[in-house]
Amino acid sequence: MKIGFIGLGIMGKPMSKNLIKAGYELVVYNRSRSSVEELAALGAQAADSPADVASKCQVIITMLPNSPQVREVCLGENGILGTAGAGAVVIDMSSIDPVESKAIGEELAKKGIHMMDAPVSGGEPKAIDGTLSVMAGGEKEDFDKYYDLLMAMAGSVVYVGALGSGNVAKLANQVIVAVNIAAVSEALTLATAIQDGFGNTLKSTGIIIGLGVMMGGILEKSGAAERMAYSFIKAVGKKKEEWALAITGWFISIPMLIAAVLYCQWLGKKIYQIPTDDGGFERKGYKKEYIKSMEELDGMIGQKNLPGLWMSIAPIVVPLVLILANTILGMAGIKIGLLSFLGAPIIALAIGTLIAVYGLMKKNDNKEVLGIMDDAIKSTGIIMLITGAGGSLGNVIKVSGIGDALGEAVMALPLPAILIPFIIAALMRIALGSATVAITTAASLSASLMGVISVSPLLMSVSCCVGAISFSYFNDSGFWVWNGMFGVSELKDQIRCKTAISLIMAAVGIVELLILSIFMH
């Protein structure tokens, strides 16, 4: 039995070659004669037109670019319809419109010519290998009769239904392929966004975090932090210990607002715990006699070999002065080369760390100092990871367009613009528990709003910070660290001590922001 094959392009030529290899006798036609001559050299018979092919074959396979070409070959002048006899079968393996496939089949059927649509999937490599996937539609009897013919070109042949069903299945297959390609593309974009966000965040903050924790370790081990606490307590005076601790905490970068101090004064009388020798805490009822006098405080200070106050605060004050001076002069348009170098955060913090090492620990053994710094730096792993993750998340949200959508949604709310960064940071803090991720994400998203809302960039930064501290509860690692450190085990007390403080600070911060936004634009 002779098989006609019309369309010897990228797909049709290797498919027809596989039919020849399988022992089928072919009659071939193509507009380009070079492909016909190549097949003729392999044993195929050349034809002058589709009509010529149909006059010599009972089965005609077409593999053409699109619907118009299939219609022309089947129904046009010198087409299959003019010369094919009743009972002939046209197997169209092109990928065309299912509706057009049915319409062509109906015209052929008027002369008793059967039609199958059998589009393929796999591309040129599988056409060459003979491992194409075929999705066939048409009469089931025709499918069964010519199954072996189709298998000579394919790795799998599946019957999917009536005429047109093959092309419907092919369309579905292409949609799936397109979705997979889109998914892979998005995955690559996501991976790039994560990598860029992680790297860009840590390259600016990683060294600062490392230097900060090393300095903190030296301040703790050298007694400098304790010296600052005692000095501030003594300077502020008796019965103002909470204020002294708050000032000390602020000075070493632990935010504590005035309202929080007032709350702590009240709460300290409700929850009163004394450290025990074994490292635990003993819960007692509050009594005034528990508070140490200034004379007792002086005695405690005298018993300890602590560094001087100025040397204790120098590692913190010197970097702050350098950074502040560089920032103020920069805002004024004054640029001093040496100060620009020394006032860079990383350089300034490195200077502070050197002051701490050689000023506070000059009498200590080098190995001991390195051990302190090593122990301190070990704790930065999770901090670095969280910080980098926050940068990655912020960049993903930015690249994906979520940030723009979120910004537009928040912008539509009837709220002061200064609260937008606060809301974003607060939502992220509630959802993820990490203030670091919240502030990084809020800053990334808020940066894209700079050209939309007329708010001071400085106030937007503060708004991000206030939102990030707004809600510390069960999914916040700091919540458990604090409660564990101070021996607060009751849930009610944990919320009163940690969560309530964060809410009070945030509330005061909102009021301050609204007031400042009146004067700063």
Side-chain angles (χ1 to χ4, degrees), residues 321-327 329-330 334-344:
V321 170
L322 290 173
I323 295 172
L324 183 62
N326 184 41
T327 302
L329 291 177
I334 302 173
K335 186 174 182 180
I336 301 176
L338 180 59
L339 183 59
S340 297
F341 172 74
L342 296 178

Side-chain angles (χ1 to χ4, degrees), residues 126-143:
K126 290 188 178 294
I128 294 171
D129 295 340
T131 56
L132 292 166
S133 296
V134 178
M135 295 145 277
E139 295 294 333
K140 185 65 167 60
E141 292 181 1
D142 292 333
F143 173 80

Side-chain angles (χ1 to χ4, degrees), residues 371-497:
I372 293 171
M373 297 171 68
D374 183 56
D375 290 340
I377 203 71
K378 288 177 181 177
S379 65
T380 63
I382 188 64
I383 299 174
M384 295 279 196
L385 181 61
I386 292 175
T387 303
S392 295
L393 179 59
N395 198 43
V396 168
I397 291 175
K398 179 182 177 182
V399 171
S400 66
I402 296 175
D404 294 336
L406 182 59
E408 291 176 3
V410 176
M411 284 286 292
L413 298 175
L415 295 171
I418 188 61
L419 294 183
I420 293 175
F422 171 86
I423 293 173
I424 296 173
L427 290 174
M428 296 301 296
R429 178 64 187 272
I430 292 171
L432 303 177
S434 169
T436 305
V437 175
I439 195 171
T440 305
T441 305
S444 300
L445 295 180
S446 300
S448 63
L449 302 176
M450 293 291 289
V452 182
I453 57 179
S454 57
V455 177
S456 165
L458 178 60
L459 288 185
M460 289 187 70
S461 300
V462 175
S463 184
C464 290
C465 296
V466 174
I469 64 171
S470 63
F471 203 89
S472 174
Y473 72 123
F474 312 117
N475 65 346
D476 176 13
S477 58
F479 178 89
W480 300 109
V481 170
W482 189 93
N483 289 313
M485 182 179 295
F486 292 100
V488 181
S489 57
E490 295 293 330
L491 177 60
K492 179 180 69 173
D493 293 339
Q494 291 174 347
I495 293 176
R496 292 165 73 190
C497 292

Side-chain angles (χ1 to χ4, degrees), residues 13-277:
K13 183 163 65 175
M15 290 166 67
S16 59
K17 287 181 178 180
N18 285 326
L19 289 177
I20 293 174
K21 290 178 184 177
Y24 290 96
E25 185 180 352
L26 295 190
V27 178
V28 297
Y29 170 78
N30 192 65
R31 287 181 300 178
S32 171
R33 299 306 295 177
S34 60
S35 296
V36 174
E37 291 170 0
E38 184 178 343
L39 267 295
L42 297 176
Q45 180 181 345
D48 297 325
S49 66
D52 188 19
V53 173
S55 67
K56 299 174 180 177
C57 303
Q58 188 70 8
V59 179
I60 306 104
I61 297 174
T62 57
M63 190 62 178
L64 301 165
N66 214 328
S67 301
Q69 289 78 23
V70 176
R71 174 171 280 275
E72 178 66 23
V73 164
C74 289
L75 308 179
E77 186 178 356
N78 290 323
I80 294 171
L81 184 63
T83 57
V89 176
V90 174
I91 303 176
D92 179 33
M93 303 188 77
S94 318
S95 296
I96 68 172
D97 183 352
V99 176
E100 185 71 351
S101 184
K102 288 181 179 181
I104 294 170
E106 290 172 358
E107 293 298 317
L108 293 174
K110 293 177 182 179
K111 193 177 177 181
I113 302 171
H114 298 198
M115 183 175 179
M116 293 173 59
D117 63 324
V120 301
S121 176
E124 183 182 9
K126 290 188 178 294
I128 294 171
D129 295 340
T131 56
L132 292 166
S133 296
V134 178
M135 295 145 277
E139 295 294 333
K140 185 65 167 60
E141 292 181 1
D142 292 333
F143 173 80
D144 293 337
K145 185 175 181 179
Y146 299 110
Y147 175 82
D148 291 339
L149 173 65
L150 295 173
M151 279 300 295
M153 300 174 283
S156 67
V157 178
V158 179
Y159 179 71
V160 293
L163 179 62
S165 300
N167 278 298
V168 170
K170 176 62 184 293
L171 285 173
N173 177 76
Q174 293 304 101
V175 169
I176 294 172
V177 171
V179 168
N180 285 333
I181 292 173
V184 171
S185 300
E186 289 298 327
L188 292 174
T189 303
L190 176 62
T192 302
I194 291 174
Q195 180 178 346
D196 292 346
F198 198 97
N200 291 337
T201 301
L202 286 186
K203 75 179 181 183
S204 59
T205 61
I207 297 176
I208 293 175
I209 292 173
L211 291 172
V213 296
M214 286 191 290
M215 184 195 300
I218 292 175
L219 290 176
E220 178 189 357
K221 298 297 183 181
S222 67
E226 194 172 359
R227 164 61 72 183
M228 283 188 282
Y230 283 142
S231 298
F232 282 124
I233 290 173
K234 186 176 180 180
V236 173
K238 187 177 180 181
K239 297 183 179 181
K240 297 184 178 66
E241 292 82 4
E242 297 87 351
W243 290 99
L245 289 172
I247 293 171
T248 307
W250 172 81
F251 200 76
I252 57 175
S253 301
I254 302 175
M256 180 64 69
L257 300 175
I258 295 174
V261 176
L262 296 173
Y263 175 78
C264 288
Q265 285 182 314
W266 172 82
L267 186 62
K269 296 176 181 179
K270 305 296 181 183
I271 304 174
Y272 195 84
Q273 297 186 158
I274 297 176
T276 58
D277 294 336

